[in-house]
Amino acid sequence: MRAVSAAFQTALTAGTVRPRFFFGFDTASTTYRYWTGARDITFLGATWYGNSVLQGFDSYKESEELSAEGMSVTLAGESEALISLILQDVRQGKLGGLWFALLDNNEALIADPHQIFSGRLDRAELNDDPNRASIKLYFESKLIDLERKKEFRYNHETQRAFYGDDLGMEYIDQLTKGWS
């Protein structure tokens, strides 16, 4: 389990607190930020919108092992706006994060919200219901990159792709085959 700040730990053991979740994700043109409250709030130096767009998320589990876990988040809203978002702005590989926060009786943030997930967008699904459309965004942990093969070769062709006039790797293929 990740460590939480001392202030967050104190707030957890204090009297009445209101748990809330913050979710933000990047797209091709902007960053969307939503939270489970009813009004807009400032967090991490930005405005987070509390207008019932953030509908929920699948449970996310952490393990002691070094493994890539994913999660999904559901956003709901007007059908045209969500279809536009999916078709024009959502891009695979963009970052997203989920935070757990505590609010006091005045709906002010207590201590430091705790980031419980950070990952990259894998895919998005649209549910185009006539009454209320929704998008389900699937995110993968950044650890998924450890499972991907890196297809990078140190040879003349790769060097020329980065530096067109550089001849420093011109004879590397001969070295690996042996001099003749």
Side-chain angles (χ1 to χ4, degrees):
M1 171 124 184
R2 296 181 206 179
V4 295
S5 69
F8 192 87
Q9 189 76 23
T10 303
L12 279 173
T13 59
T16 305
V17 293
R18 292 178 164 78
R20 298 288 188 265
F21 291 94
F22 288 78
F23 171 69
F25 68 103
D26 294 334
T27 65
S29 64
T30 191
T31 299
Y32 289 89
R33 297 177 184 93
Y34 302 108
W35 74 294
T36 55
R39 62 178 175 79
D40 297 349
I41 193 170
T42 300
F43 166 57
L44 292 177
T47 300
W48 297 70
Y49 300 100
N51 54 4
S52 302
V53 172
L54 178 56
Q55 293 295 300
F57 56 91
D58 289 343
S59 61
Y60 170 71
K61 68 175 188 173
E62 285 189 346
S63 66
E64 296 289 326
E65 300 170 11
L66 187 62
S67 63
E69 300 291 338
M71 69 170 294
S72 66
V73 176
T74 303
L75 305 176
E78 295 179 20
S79 183
E80 297 83 22
L82 291 178
I83 290 171
S84 175
L85 173 66
I86 284 265
L87 295 178
Q88 296 177 10
D89 245 9
V90 171
R91 297 289 185 272
Q92 189 176 22
K94 292 291 188 176
L95 294 177
L98 182 70
W99 289 263
F100 176 64
L102 301 173
L103 279 66
D104 63 15
N105 290 334
N106 299 322
E107 297 242 338
L109 282 172
I110 299 174
D112 313 313
H114 179 65
Q115 187 169 19
I116 57 177
F117 181 80
S118 177
R120 291 192 175 95
L121 182 65
D122 182 38
R123 68 185 194 279
E125 292 178 359
L126 176 67
N127 177 15
D128 193 14
D129 185 325
N131 298 328
R132 186 155 170 95
S134 65
I135 296 177
K136 195 165 195 176
L137 302 170
Y138 294 87
F139 288 85
E140 292 291 337
S141 169
K142 294 176 186 176
L143 292 175
I144 198 76
D145 289 342
L146 297 175
E147 296 176 4
R148 291 190 178 112
K149 290 184 178 181
K150 305 290 187 226
E151 293 295 329
F152 183 82
R153 306 278 189 246
Y154 289 99
N155 58 25
H156 183 60
E157 291 77 22
T158 304
Q159 185 71 6
R160 298 281 310 248
F162 290 108
Y163 308 100
D165 297 333
D166 191 356
L167 301 176
M169 304 283 276
E170 187 175 14
Y171 299 106
I172 286 294
D173 288 334
Q174 288 179 1
L175 286 174
T176 58
K177 295 175 187 172
W179 292 95
S180 51

